[in-house]
């Protein structure tokens, strides 16, 4: 059994699945954002129709140099979309680091919290523990404004694996069941191209934590560095990176281009089965 518990949703991770990105920001680096609620909702529904298992709604950009969004604005952007999509029966994730937004999103029907700070804000763990939503714990070195200036690690895979193990243990201690936890090395968050490639190459080391691994590489600057393509022209690179992550054991792929990613996964799946998910922590429960 490889089931992620996410609110009312049981997400089958015996095969990789796709999380579609819904940015409702004015400065999201790769798709310009979709601030108009009707356009955002239509885009989310399109991604669901294309086969996205989860929609990840973000109201604050974490890109380097992005301006912070205040809580009231973030709530106003995110909550109505969560409500509308949850009403459709969708599995909705909310990309936020703010406990108040987490609480409101859960109240509006969200099934997952995607926190680039791995629930380290005071009260974030408590909000998650007081609900039944899934949590994605992501690694970031430094702060969004400065994280790409001089990222440095003695052992990038080992340090990130240890950080994720610590944050997962903090979740368990707070009362969050192992079956609700997802871990993510945080591609591009305080990492050079060399770091990102080392993490992707050795992603299996992260899967040995025993939690499902989420990988977000879609349109990221490392793919631009490899291909020489601008952000709007990284579809093929993104699909290749998502497939590489899935082959190495990632079970949730956070992408902009849902249909194309699902097609690539289908081709691989027709050739050979996916290896059994390493979700021993869930199986113990
Ligand atoms: C990731 C993410 C972003 C990621 C998780 C972008 C919010 C930058 N990247 N969340 N968020 N993992 N879990 O390019 O890699 O989409 S924002």
């Amino acid at each position: 059994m490889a089931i992620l518990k996410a609110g009312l949703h049981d997400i089958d991770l015996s095969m990789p699945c796709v999380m579609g990105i819904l940015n409702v920001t004015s400065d999201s680096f790769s798709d310009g954002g979709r601030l108009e609620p009707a356009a955002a909702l239509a885009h989310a529904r399109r991604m669901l129709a294309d086969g996205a298992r989860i929609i990840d709604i973000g109201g604050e950009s974490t890109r380097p140099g992005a301006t912070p969004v205040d809580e009231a604005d973030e709530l106003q952007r995110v909550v109505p979309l969560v409500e509308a999509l949850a009403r459709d029966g969708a599995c909705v994730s909310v990309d936020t680091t703010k406990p108040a937004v987490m609480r409101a999103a859960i109240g509006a029907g969200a099934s997952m919290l995607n926190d680039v700070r791995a629930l380290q804000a005071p009260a974030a763990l408590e909000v998650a523990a007081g609900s039944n939503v899934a949590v994605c714990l992501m690694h970031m070195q430094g702060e969004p404004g400065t994280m790409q200036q001089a990222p440095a690690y003695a052992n990038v895979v080992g340090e990130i694996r240890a950080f994720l193990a610590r944050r997962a243990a903090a979740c368990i201690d707070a009362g969050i069941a192992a079956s609700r936890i997802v871990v993510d090395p945080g591609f591009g968050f305080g990492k050079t191209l060399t770091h990102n490639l080392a993490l992707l190459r050795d992603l299996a080391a992260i899967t040995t934590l025993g939690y499902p691994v989420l990988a977000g590489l879609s349109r990221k600057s490392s793919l631009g560095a490899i291909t020489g393509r601008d952000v709007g022209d990284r579809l093929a690179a993104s699909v290749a990176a998502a497939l590489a992550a899935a082959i190495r054991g990632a079970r949730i792929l956070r992408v902009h281009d849902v249909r194309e990613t699902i097609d690539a996964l289908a081709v691989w799946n027709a050739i050979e089965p996916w290896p059994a998910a390493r979700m021993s922590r869930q199986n113990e429960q």
Side-chain angles (χ1 to χ4, degrees), residues 191-239:
K191 283 131 196 142
T192 63
L193 173 61
T194 304
H195 296 140
N196 289 319
L197 289 174
L199 281 164
L200 183 51
R201 208 172 278 128
D202 201 12
L203 200 63
I206 307 295
T207 68
T208 64
L209 287 168
Y211 299 100
V213 172
L214 185 151
L217 289 145
S218 190
R219 303 184 188 174
K220 284 189 176 172
S221 62
S222 284
L223 304 180
I226 293 167
T227 60
R229 305 282 182 206
D230 288 340
V231 66
D233 201 13
R234 295 179 188 160
L235 170 58
S238 298
V239 172

Side-chain angles (χ1 to χ4, degrees), residues 228-267:
R229 305 282 182 206
D230 288 340
V231 66
D233 201 13
R234 295 179 188 160
L235 170 58
S238 298
V239 172
L243 188 59
I247 291 166
R248 285 161 177 75
R251 286 300 154 120
I252 305 177
L253 304 165
R254 184 179 178 277
V255 307
H256 300 87
D257 303 291
V258 170
R259 189 172 57 91
E260 292 85 351
T261 306
I262 286 178
D263 281 358
L265 294 172
V267 171

